[in-house]
Amino acid sequence: GYFTAVETLAGEIRNLLADAEATRGYFIAECMGRSAGWLAYGAAIAGEASYTISVEDVQAKLSTTEDVKDPKTGVVTTREIMDMNKVVDAIVKAMLVREADGKAFGVVVLAEGLAQYLPASYLEGVKFDDHGHISLASTNLAKTMVKAVEAEYKKRTGQGKRITGVQLGYEARCAQPHAFDVILGCQLGVGAYRAIVENGLDGVMVSCSGQLDLNYVPFEKLVD
């Protein structure tokens, strides 16, 4: 469940913050989230991360485009990508602002979905899944961003900075469920039973609000 993942990742981020403060360094933490930043932002807020960038941020103000030629067909297509200069600039600026406030450490959270917006030059040799999607785990977004941020930080300050990239995924996916998610799961299970057995419904999504206020939404209303 969502809150289980957020609680687990927030704890990891707080641990990283403590380590970052002790070593006067930074962590760039990659969190789950292919197409949206719900988890990255939830974990970052709850874990008091220093800065967060998600897919929505790139789409809104940190993107550019590039032309890509298919080696087999020769067809050229235009794809939206991260403007790496803008993204790295935003992260380094945040670091420098914190340093001016006496905080030469921190944790930057990135949603893993940003990897699919990396320029083609960063994706050489990257695997694709059965659906044609980029295998996000194989891109190692965090380490890619570490190299870029380290270089830009040194360029601006003339000094090196300890920056470590980490991927946070399985820790959240396999955590013991948060009480809220256990209760919600039970309520949805009751809702499924009532939809089929008591109301004779099929092809509906069960949702719950309040204390067992169950609602059934037909799938056809959810499409697109």
Side-chain angles (χ1 to χ4, degrees):
Y2 174 74
F3 284 103
T4 297
V6 165
E7 180 69 24
T8 304
L9 290 175
E12 294 289 341
I13 290 169
R14 285 191 290 270
N15 289 343
L16 293 175
L17 265 175
D19 188 284
E21 184 173 9
T23 58
R24 314 305 287 173
Y26 265 85
F27 285 95
I28 293 182
E30 178 184 342
C31 291
M32 290 186 293
R34 178 179 284 273
S35 58
W38 290 99
L39 191 53
Y41 267 98
I45 292 168
E48 299 182 65
S50 315
Y51 198 70
T52 314
I53 300 179
S54 184
V55 174
E56 296 90 339
D57 299 309
V58 167
Q59 293 170 339
K61 57 186 177 182
L62 300 173
S63 71
T64 184
T65 59
E66 72 174 0
D67 292 332
V68 180
K69 185 177 182 179
D70 189 310
K72 294 181 179 179
T73 64
V75 175
V76 176
T77 57
T78 301
R79 63 183 288 257
E80 183 181 20
I81 61 170
M82 265 195 288
D83 187 323
M84 289 295 285
N85 290 332
K86 287 184 178 180
V87 172
V88 172
D89 175 67
I91 294 172
V92 173
K93 276 183 178 177
M95 293 169 66
L96 295 177
V97 167
R98 285 177 61 78
E99 286 187 12
D101 196 33
K103 298 176 181 178
F105 64 92
V107 176
V108 175
V109 173
L110 303 178
E112 66 175 358
L114 292 173
Q116 61 195 331
Y117 289 94
L118 284 169
S121 58
Y122 290 85
L123 298 175
E124 293 178 6
V126 170
K127 298 178 181 178
F128 288 77
D129 64 20
D130 295 337
H131 303 286
H133 298 139
I134 291 171
S135 173
L136 298 180
S138 67
T139 62
N140 211 325
L141 174 68
K143 288 188 177 180
T144 296
M145 295 305 298
V146 163
K147 292 180 181 178
V149 171
E150 281 179 336
E152 184 62 22
Y153 182 89
K154 188 167 187 177
K155 177 181 175 182
R156 296 193 191 188
T157 66
Q159 300 177 343
K161 171 63 77 170
R162 178 183 180 273
I163 307 175
T164 305
V166 294
Q167 289 179 307
L168 301 177
Y170 294 109
E171 300 91 334
R173 203 163 71 186
C174 302
Q176 289 296 310
H178 190 284
F180 178 89
D181 287 334
V182 172
I183 294 170
L184 176 62
C186 291
Q187 290 177 323
L188 295 177
V190 169
Y193 174 84
R194 290 184 176 176
I196 296 171
V197 177
E198 298 179 4
N199 297 310
L201 298 175
D202 188 18
V204 298
M205 180 193 76
V206 181
S207 67
C208 182
S209 61
Q211 281 294 94
L212 214 59
D213 177 17
L214 298 167
N215 300 281
Y216 311 107
V217 184
F219 286 163
E220 55 264 26
K221 290 189 178 180
L222 299 173
V223 176
D224 295 331

